[in-house]
Amino acid sequence: MRLKTSLLKEPKHKELVSCVGWTTADELYSCSDDHQIMKWNLLTSETTRVVKLPDDTYPIDLHWLPRSVGGKKQSHAESFVLTSSDGKFHLISKSGRVEKSVEAHCGAVLAGRWNSEGTALATVGEDGQVKIWSKSGMLRSTLAQQGTPVYSVAWGPDSEKVLYTSGKQLIIKPLQPNVKVLQWKAHDGLILKTDWNSVNELILSAGEDCKYKVWDSYGHLLYSSQPHEYPITSIAWSGDGELFAVGSFHTLRLCDKTGWSYALEKPNTGSIFNIAWSVDGTQLAGACGNGHVIFAHVVEQRWEWKNFEITLIKRRTMQVHNVINDAVDLLEFRDRVIKASLNYGHLVVSTSLQCYVFSTKNWNTPLIFDLKEGTVTLILQAERHFLLIDGGGLYLYSYEGRLISSPKFPGMRTDILNAQTVSLSNDTLAVKDKADEKVIYIFDALSGKPLGDGKPLTHKSEIMEIALDQKGLTSERKIAFIDKNRDLYITSVKRFGKEQKIVKIGTMVQTLAWNDTSNILCGIQDTRFTVWYYPNTVYVDKDLLTKTLYEKDASEFSKNPQIVHFVGNQITIRRADGSLIHLNISPYPVILHEYVSSSKWEDAVRLCRFVKATATDEDQTMWACLAAMAVANKDMATAEIAYASIGEIDKVQYINSIKDLPSKESRMAHILLFSGNTQEAETLLLQTGLIYQAIQVNINLYNWDRALELAVKHKTHVDTVLAYRQKFLEDFGKKETNKRFLQYAEGLAVDWNKIKAKIEMEIAKERERAAASATVRASVTVQQ
């Protein structure tokens, strides 16, 4: 990726340009010390003067009112705030009329910023004050009073906090009084500029120590640049939070959100005092010290999938390179490309007006449809469909271009969603709620309605990143997520009534990704790269989980690596310096998943035996995965073979005892018990009228109170429960202290012969029932 810059031969302004701001993706306003406000039209290459300011008004900062104000979305910005050296800020309309001038600070007003809703304005000045104003310019509060000038200000993602500079310090102050202020030393010199992105919630700072830095919203340093030759005079996030730009003397730099640099330009600009990104994030403009306005387009973005490599070579042209046969195709578009995604055999491209869908089998005839809203901010793909996110909503399309659904939820803000907070599979869409970060909304992809009982998934602490698995049935769909403590959890998305079990499977996890063709999960946790070959093991047999993992030392990935892709058996990881590392994992677990999903159990066993015969290290891992998969799919014959192969003799014996049970219902219940699902096992037995068996399950698990409760409720086997309880206490030399048991044991003599006869009668009854139901099934089969 790089920047394609353009400068006019002669500057349009006679003095330094102090600030710039975009109204639409093709129209820019610039303000200069020559008191002129100019309008630049990039389509016609025309520059016109909007207004001449009074001679004593030197503009310093400009910020357009956000386009979505009060829920109404406008196609372009209508007015802006201009701060100036005379201590005032001015509310100016698009046509250049000064609507209002407000005496705001003693000395120059150094920066002014609207919050994301456009309902409040923050200004900072040479007098060290931070002030909050209403949309109409009425003073709401003086938030802070510093002893030194405040050079830059930014709103927090939720518009509830303000970030500002104070000498070498960065300060985050909430609007509510008596809430803790966060303050830290960020640079060794004066901090000149700061910016806070609402999508990724990361903070940028730039200073006279010639460095730029990236911080999280808690003040932890994520990246610090090498010192430049000159102070960093400007820094700005792109709208989607994927890129940021850095400006200095004769220097313009394009960086990834993690800090490493894509491109460095050395234009003849003097110092770049202000950088503004266009609404669609495809270009930026800089306010230059020598009177120029520099424009830069982001080009040479790259997308890779299997054997295809696609590069945006011009703003309306893509080049497709097939590395297998070296074939090259050029894709031309009517408008400039804004976003693109390449996955699952399809390339989806959004321009400013249309969406193009290409198949990797045919690059000549794309499917084209018009977009409802303006700028697409995110494209996510699944095997059967893809998701477009813009300022107006979430839109799910099939690869034939048909709109499938448009899910909605309360307080939805689509402009702050990114690939970490939205996840898509063939049947499910998951979106992290920004208002309450402990909540994930889960939708049926085809209908757009909430899944299961309609309630969102709620966790005990804030969620950072979410990811849905891609294969299998909807009823078995799993979602993995990382919370604020960097713990990795997994849970089912299909939820009815009872609270779903959310199980922790990893700690200190920085990044994760599901495989595109099978439900294998990989992540980097602390100093280890880990692959969970069958994460569902935690619901089947927790003890097996550690045996189904592949672990590798992750020190070669350096600090803060990110998993980019997990396609087939290849994983692509981007290191903190931007370099890519490709890892290959064993192909056998993917094949095992395919066999199991097709119920080819004999082939699965044969594959595990083959791996064992080749004397590889993953012999145990494969058998452990197969054991868990077999139990999950109720194939106990295969489970027995797999458990025997990893030496789990006690489990083999239990599986054998399950086989000997007389009825299908009992067998199912004991398989549920095997997986630790006691409640489900008991419910199944009670529903099928096997009361004694339900009581016996609780006796075996020493759930004495529940066993007695069932016996009393169904008026059967109370003496059986009391007898087993008495024997249990005698074995441990204890006396009965439970009041309920004492109450029912009064005057009751335990007769073991009688109890054994009752138990034998229950077993005989169950056998009769099983035989009768087998006969019925046989006769139905014959009739069919």
Side-chain angles (χ1 to χ4, degrees):
M1 202 183 294
R2 67 179 183 86
L3 289 172
K4 186 180 176 186
T5 58
S6 58
L7 276 172
L8 296 177
K9 283 184 181 173
E10 292 297 321
K12 293 287 182 182
H13 288 286
K14 297 182 181 66
E15 298 282 342
L16 73 79
V17 183
S18 56
C19 46
V20 287
W22 298 83
T23 55
T24 66
D26 299 301
E27 187 179 83
L28 179 97
Y29 279 49
S30 63
C31 304
S32 163
D33 278 4
D34 63 6
H35 313 292
Q36 312 267 9
I37 298 181
M38 308 283 264
K39 179 166 79 174
W40 304 68
N41 188 320
L42 270 65
L43 296 176
T44 59
S45 300
E46 287 178 5
T47 313
T48 53
R49 190 175 86 177
V50 178
V51 67
K52 185 177 187 304
L53 299 167
D55 287 347
D56 61 344
T57 304
Y58 290 88
I60 295 177
D61 194 21
L62 168 160
H63 194 217
W64 284 92
L65 192 69
R67 294 190 300 154
S68 50
V69 181
K72 293 177 184 170
K73 190 147 182 74
Q74 301 154 345
S75 58
H76 49 77
E78 292 296 340
S79 65
F80 61 92
V81 62
L82 182 74
T83 71
S84 58
S85 59
D86 56 5
K88 296 177 183 174
F89 68 80
H90 313 273
L91 302 176
I92 304 176
S93 74
K94 194 165 182 256
S95 60
R97 195 177 78 216
V98 179
E99 306 281 355
K100 191 171 189 179
S101 293
V102 179
E103 289 276 358
H105 293 263
C106 295
V109 185
L110 296 175
R113 283 287 174 271
W114 295 105
N115 66 1
S116 57
E117 295 84 28
T119 54
L121 171 72
T123 62
V124 294
E126 279 186 326
D127 57 2
Q129 293 188 336
V130 181
K131 294 184 176 181
I132 308 296
W133 309 79
S134 72
K135 186 185 169 188
S136 58
M138 302 294 287
L139 181 64
R140 285 187 183 165
S141 67
T142 300
L143 194 66
Q145 172 75 62
Q146 301 298 123
T148 53
V150 178
Y151 285 93
S152 188
V153 66
W155 286 89
D158 54 3
S159 296
E160 296 292 323
K161 303 184 199 74
V162 170
L163 164 75
Y164 57 92
T165 68
S166 176
K168 301 174 184 180
Q169 308 272 327
L170 280 177
I171 301 169
I172 295 175
K173 181 148 188 187
L175 296 187
Q176 285 90 6
N178 307 323
V179 180
K180 192 182 170 195
V181 175
L182 182 64
Q183 179 172 345
W184 70 97
K185 185 187 174 190
H187 286 260
D188 295 325
L190 197 65
I191 301 172
L192 299 174
K193 278 279 166 39
T194 186
D195 196 10
W196 197 348
N197 187 267
S198 57
V199 179
N200 60 32
E201 300 190 9
L202 299 179
I203 291 168
L204 296 174
S205 63
E208 285 191 343
D209 60 356
C210 307
K211 291 180 181 179
Y212 62 87
K213 298 185 179 184
V214 185
W215 312 84
D216 69 10
S217 53
Y218 305 103
H220 301 133
L221 180 66
L222 303 179
Y223 181 85
S224 176
S225 73
Q226 293 298 313
H228 285 57
E229 290 178 70
Y230 300 98
I232 310 289
T233 46
S234 55
I235 197 159
W237 282 111
S238 65
D240 62 5
E242 292 299 314
L243 304 168
F244 65 88
V246 179
S248 182
F249 182 74
H250 288 341
T251 304
L252 182 63
R253 190 182 281 279
L254 179 70
C255 300
D256 182 77
K257 65 181 174 191
T258 52
W260 56 272
S261 183
Y262 276 112
L264 174 65
E265 297 291 325
K266 288 284 187 180
N268 183 23
T269 55
S271 288
I272 297 175
F273 290 111
N274 181 242
I275 292 172
W277 284 85
S278 64
V279 180
D280 57 15
T282 60
Q283 57 194 330
L284 57 92
C288 307
N290 60 4
H292 275 291
V293 173
I294 186 170
F295 293 95
H297 275 85
V298 180
V299 291
E300 291 188 16
Q301 286 149 289
R302 290 153 69 91
W303 296 267
E304 292 173 8
W305 182 76
K306 293 193 173 174
N307 52 304
F308 291 101
E309 184 180 70
I310 295 177
T311 311
L312 182 70
I313 52 173
K314 295 179 190 167
R315 61 183 104 162
R316 295 188 200 148
T317 310
M318 282 180 158
Q319 180 181 287
V320 181
H321 180 204
N322 186 338
V323 295
I324 289 178
N325 55 17
D326 237 14
V328 174
D329 289 278
L330 283 181
L331 312 178
E332 300 278 353
F333 301 94
R334 192 183 73 186
D335 308 292
R336 74 169 164 277
V337 172
I338 291 173
K339 286 279 173 196
S341 176
L342 175 65
N343 219 331
Y344 297 104
H346 291 89
L347 170 69
V348 181
V349 180
S350 79
T351 67
S352 46
L353 297 170
Q354 293 173 312
C355 181
Y356 295 72
V357 183
F358 296 86
S359 166
T360 53
K361 294 171 185 167
N362 177 10
W363 296 107
N364 301 319
T365 52
L367 187 134
I368 307 170
F369 60 88
D370 293 334
L371 293 169
K372 291 185 177 182
E373 271 280 344
T375 308
V376 170
T377 54
L378 184 65
I379 303 172
L380 282 183
Q381 287 179 261
E383 191 179 13
R384 294 181 197 154
H385 41 236
F386 63 94
L387 179 76
L388 295 183
I389 300 180
D390 62 22
L394 309 163
Y395 305 101
L396 205 69
Y397 288 93
S398 70
Y399 286 111
E400 290 76 48
R402 180 173 57 83
L403 179 64
I404 298 169
S405 66
S406 180
K408 290 180 175 58
F409 57 89
M412 181 169 82
R413 265 190 71 190
T414 53
D415 58 323
I416 52 176
L417 296 174
N418 62 9
Q420 279 73 48
T421 55
V422 189
S423 187
L424 179 69
S425 72
N426 282 336
D427 43 46
T428 312
L429 171 68
V431 184
K432 188 185 96 171
D433 187 12
K434 202 72 180 182
D436 182 354
E437 303 215 15
K438 299 175 182 177
V439 170
I440 303 171
Y441 288 101
I442 298 170
F443 300 96
D444 182 312
L446 302 181
S447 68
K449 291 178 179 161
L451 205 61
D453 56 9
K455 290 177 186 169
L457 175 69
T458 307
H459 187 50
K460 59 179 184 275
S461 60
E462 287 95 338
I463 293 163
M464 307 299 286
E465 187 174 341
I466 64 173
L468 287 163
D469 65 11
Q470 296 297 311
K471 301 304 266 184
L473 304 169
T474 318
S475 56
E476 293 165 12
R477 180 75 55 238
K478 297 285 185 293
I479 185 168
F481 60 86
I482 302 171
D483 72 5
K484 186 179 163 186
N485 304 318
R486 291 280 154 200
D487 290 330
L488 174 62
Y489 290 84
I490 188 168
T491 186
S492 176
V493 299
K494 205 83 168 170
R495 305 165 77 248
F496 287 101
K498 68 183 180 61
E499 198 59 37
Q500 176 64 41
K501 267 201 296 190
I502 299 176
V503 186
K504 181 157 84 171
I505 59 168
T507 55
M508 295 303 292
V509 180
Q510 300 161 44
T511 174
L512 79 158
W514 285 98
N515 185 265
D516 65 332
T517 54
S518 54
N519 292 338
I520 298 174
L521 180 67
C522 72
I524 296 171
Q525 49 174 352
D526 204 9
T527 56
R528 300 185 317 284
F529 169 73
T530 308
V531 181
W532 290 265
Y533 283 132
Y534 187 56
N536 197 40
T537 306
V538 291
Y539 290 105
V540 178
D541 184 350
K542 260 190 183 176
D543 305 338
L544 272 188
L545 185 65
T546 51
K547 293 185 179 178
T548 62
L549 302 183
Y550 164 74
E551 292 191 308
K552 179 183 187 300
D553 179 49
S555 54
E556 64 175 299
F557 307 140
S558 74
K559 191 182 168 191
N560 294 334
Q562 290 294 313
I563 297 170
V564 184
H565 298 296
F566 186 6
V567 178
N569 61 322
Q570 189 180 72
I571 297 150
T572 307
I573 295 169
R574 194 181 291 283
R575 295 185 358 167
D577 61 0
S579 59
L580 291 172
I581 294 177
H582 299 283
L583 283 182
N584 283 312
I585 60 165
S586 165
Y588 299 129
V590 176
I591 300 168
L592 185 65
H593 273 272
E594 285 170 10
Y595 282 152
V596 170
S597 62
S598 312
S599 297
K600 296 178 178 173
W601 295 105
E602 287 179 12
D603 290 345
V605 171
R606 208 173 293 124
L607 174 69
C608 291
R609 284 183 177 143
F610 165 75
V611 173
K612 187 177 180 180
T614 54
T616 61
D617 297 337
E618 62 205 328
D619 158 32
Q620 291 276 306
T621 309
M622 289 288 286
W623 282 117
C625 287
L626 181 59
M629 289 170 175
V631 174
N633 288 278
K634 315 287 189 289
D635 189 309
M636 300 317 278
T638 307
E640 189 182 348
I641 296 167
Y643 275 115
S645 301
I646 53 175
E648 299 270 357
I649 305 306
D650 53 336
K651 289 173 182 172
V652 174
Q653 287 175 333
Y654 187 69
I655 290 166
N656 273 322
S657 71
I658 292 173
K659 283 183 188 172
D660 298 335
L661 292 169
S663 69
K664 183 186 170 187
E665 291 82 3
S666 269
R667 287 194 291 276
M668 283 294 291
H670 279 80
I671 291 169
L672 286 168
L673 277 176
F674 185 87
S675 303
N677 300 318
T678 315
Q679 192 58 52
E680 288 91 328
E682 185 196 284
T683 306
L684 175 66
L685 290 168
L686 291 174
Q687 281 172 349
T688 50
L690 298 171
I691 311 297
Y692 163 70
Q693 284 77 354
I695 293 168
Q696 189 63 51
V697 160
N698 282 293
I699 291 171
N700 293 345
L701 293 170
Y702 306 118
N703 291 341
W704 298 109
D705 287 324
R706 180 61 182 159
L708 184 61
E709 187 186 324
L710 287 174
V712 171
K713 184 180 174 183
H714 295 280
K715 298 177 182 162
T716 180
H717 287 283
V718 177
D719 56 342
T720 309
V721 177
L722 293 170
Y724 276 104
R725 170 78 171 181
Q726 195 177 321
K727 185 175 182 298
F728 167 75
L729 292 170
E730 282 170 5
D731 288 346
F732 286 93
K734 302 272 184 186
K735 284 193 172 182
E736 184 62 81
T737 54
N738 189 311
K739 286 180 183 175
R740 287 200 72 198
F741 277 91
L742 286 168
Q743 178 194 336
Y744 284 102
E746 246 178 71
L748 189 78
V750 172
D751 185 346
W752 273 105
N753 292 327
K754 195 176 167 187
I755 287 166
K756 281 175 184 170
K758 275 172 77 176
I759 292 171
E760 280 167 13
M761 201 164 77
E762 290 284 1
I763 294 166
K765 260 200 281 183
E766 189 184 347
R767 283 208 176 96
E768 280 171 27
R769 275 184 56 177
S773 62
T775 310
V776 169
R777 279 200 300 275
S779 65
V780 168
T781 310
V782 169
Q783 283 169 12
Q784 285 172 344

